[in-house]
């Protein structure tokens, strides 16, 4: 039985976030240049996007380039930006075929002009697609995002648009770059590293974390489905006790049973 067949279609996470890591080590293992690892990673991106859309994931957020990645050697940064521009135009057909909308989060001001242009046109072209939203985190870091949101809120208080008392978690979330998306239920990180690397710090507050040793270029559909099955085996308690969660689940099952008319 494949991993895909083991998925419970009623409990597919609406939002999956991924830290695509290990391109450099993959290249090193093959005796290739780091940039070859990034190039090979593009196929894994396509596989993951198609896999997520196929099971009904509504939002897939991929960490493609962090604020801290600007500190890598210039040749690698330049190659990554070039690869991004090329990949977006090459993958437009995949997005169209799968009815997928492209969006981004991150600091656009730091991206090269040709990259912004390519992104703008791809975002426009895919804007009416509705099956899934693919969010690329580009020049993104969670601390940058949280500081930006704080500045926004402070400016609104200063101008009198809102009061300090209006600030709560919901309002804070609505000032983040991810305001339109639900929080990810699942975070996947490849390459064996078990850290968050400044990714979606606020939004991952209650996400389930899944780590795999697989290096990003070797990641594919079946491994994505394995992560989903693993996620579905977890009990998400949100601070409550296991007994409370079981009672709630039973109550939901009973009310679903009666509302669907099965009681007759
Ligand atoms: C992830 O792979 C891709 C980016 C960060 C852009 P890495 O380039 O971090 O690969 P490793 O961690 O060096 O193996
Ligand atoms: C995180 O990977 C960023 C992306 C995957 C784009 P890194 O490889 O840059 O993370 P660290 O530096 O090892 O934590
Ligand atoms: Mg890395």
């Amino acid at each position: 039985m494949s991993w895909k067949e083991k998925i419970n279609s009623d409990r597919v996470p609406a939002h999956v976030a991924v830290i695509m890591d290990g391109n450099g080590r993959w290249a090193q293992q093959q005796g290739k240049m780091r940039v070859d690892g990034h190039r090979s990673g593009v196929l894994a991106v396509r596989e993951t996007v198609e896999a997520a859309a196929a099971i009904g994931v509504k939002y897939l957020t991929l960490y493609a380039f962090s604020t801290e990645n600007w500190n890598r050697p210039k040749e690698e940064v330049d190659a990554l930006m070039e690869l991004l521009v090329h990949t977006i135009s090459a993958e437009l057909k995949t997005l169209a075929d799968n009815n997928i909308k492209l969006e981004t989060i991150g600091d656009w001001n730091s991206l090269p002009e040709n990259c912004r242009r390519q992104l703008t046109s791809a975002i426009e072209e895919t804007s009416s697609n509705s099956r899934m939203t693919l969010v690329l985190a580009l020049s993104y870091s969670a601390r940058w995002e949280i500081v930006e949101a704080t500045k926004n809120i402070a400016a609104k208080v200063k101008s009198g648009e809102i009061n300090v008392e209006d600030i709560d978690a919901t309002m804070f979330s609505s000032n983040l770059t991810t305001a339109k998306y639900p929080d990810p239920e699942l975070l996947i990180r490849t390459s064996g590293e078990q850290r968050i690397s400044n990714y979606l710090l606020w939004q991952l507050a209650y996400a389930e974390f899944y780590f795999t040793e697989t290096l990003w270029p070797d990641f594919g559909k079946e491994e994505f489905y394995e992560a989903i099955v693993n996620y579905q085996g977890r009990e998400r308690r949100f601070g409550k006790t296991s007994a409370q969660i079981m009672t709630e689940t039973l109550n939901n099952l009973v009310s679903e049973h009666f509302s669907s008319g099965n009681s007759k």
Side-chain angles (χ1 to χ4, degrees):
M1 202 176 179
S2 70
W3 286 107
K4 190 178 186 193
E5 288 165 314
K6 291 189 183 146
I7 293 174
N8 172 353
S9 56
D10 293 333
R11 289 196 51 223
V12 170
H15 188 171
V16 179
V18 184
I19 302 178
M20 312 184 287
D21 199 10
N23 294 350
R25 277 161 284 168
W26 182 91
Q28 197 177 23
Q29 284 176 9
Q30 318 262 326
K32 293 180 176 164
M33 307 280 286
R34 289 183 59 85
V35 59
D36 295 316
H38 298 313
R39 280 199 198 101
S40 300
V42 174
L43 180 63
V45 172
R46 191 192 298 153
E47 291 273 302
T48 305
V49 168
E50 287 181 348
I55 57 165
V57 169
K58 295 311 275 179
Y59 302 91
L60 177 69
T61 302
L62 302 179
Y63 207 1
F65 193 87
S66 72
T67 306
E68 289 75 18
N69 288 149
W70 289 113
N71 297 322
R72 292 193 176 190
K74 187 178 181 304
E75 307 81 67
E76 182 168 345
V77 170
D78 290 349
L80 274 166
M81 289 299 139
E82 210 174 290
L83 183 63
L84 178 70
V85 173
H86 175 257
T87 305
I88 291 164
S89 72
E91 296 299 317
L92 261 176
K93 192 179 164 347
T94 311
L95 297 180
D97 290 349
N98 288 281
N99 191 14
I100 293 165
K101 187 192 290 199
L102 179 72
E103 296 189 347
T104 72
I105 52 172
D107 182 12
W108 270 50
N109 292 328
S110 53
L111 294 173
E113 170 59 22
N114 62 338
C115 195
R116 280 185 281 181
R117 223 176 318 118
Q118 189 66 253
L119 282 170
T120 306
S121 78
I123 289 169
E124 244 171 57
E125 253 180 75
T126 60
S127 63
S128 54
N129 293 348
S130 57
R131 186 159 167 234
M132 184 179 86
T133 301
L134 168 63
V135 185
L136 288 184
L138 282 173
S139 193
Y140 172 89
S141 80
R143 286 186 174 178
W144 162 82
E145 176 183 45
I146 290 169
V147 168
E148 288 300 303
T150 308
K151 284 191 203 160
N152 267 337
I153 294 169
K156 287 181 200 163
V157 171
K158 197 174 169 194
S159 71
E161 194 183 320
I162 57 164
N163 297 314
V164 169
E165 295 70 35
D166 298 331
I167 303 171
D168 61 10
T170 308
M171 165 331 160
F172 198 87
S173 295
S174 72
N175 279 276
L176 293 170
T177 58
T178 51
K180 290 189 289 180
Y181 320 128
D183 286 344
E185 295 99 319
L186 171 64
L187 169 79
I188 299 172
R189 184 171 189 151
T190 57
S191 87
E193 307 298 352
Q194 302 193 356
R195 56 175 171 266
I196 202 165
S197 300
N198 215 349
Y199 192 39
L200 303 170
L201 294 179
W202 173 277
Q203 299 86 339
L204 293 173
Y206 260 108
E208 297 296 328
F209 285 27
Y210 179 86
F211 299 108
T212 166
E213 293 292 323
T214 304
L215 302 172
W216 180 252
D218 292 329
F219 194 80
K221 288 195 168 76
E222 267 301 292
E223 192 152 355
F224 180 81
Y225 294 139
E226 184 178 356
I228 300 289
V229 171
N230 183 292
Y231 160 83
Q232 292 185 333
R234 314 257 184 114
E235 183 181 61
R236 305 189 72 210
R237 291 192 284 273
F238 300 98
K240 295 182 183 171
T241 66
S242 194
Q244 283 176 297
I245 300 299
M246 273 193 278
T247 309
E248 280 176 15
T249 312
L250 274 174
N251 286 343
N252 287 341
L253 280 174
V254 170
S255 62
E256 266 169 40
H257 179 78
F258 281 100
S259 65
S260 64
N262 288 342
S263 56
K264 286 176 205 140

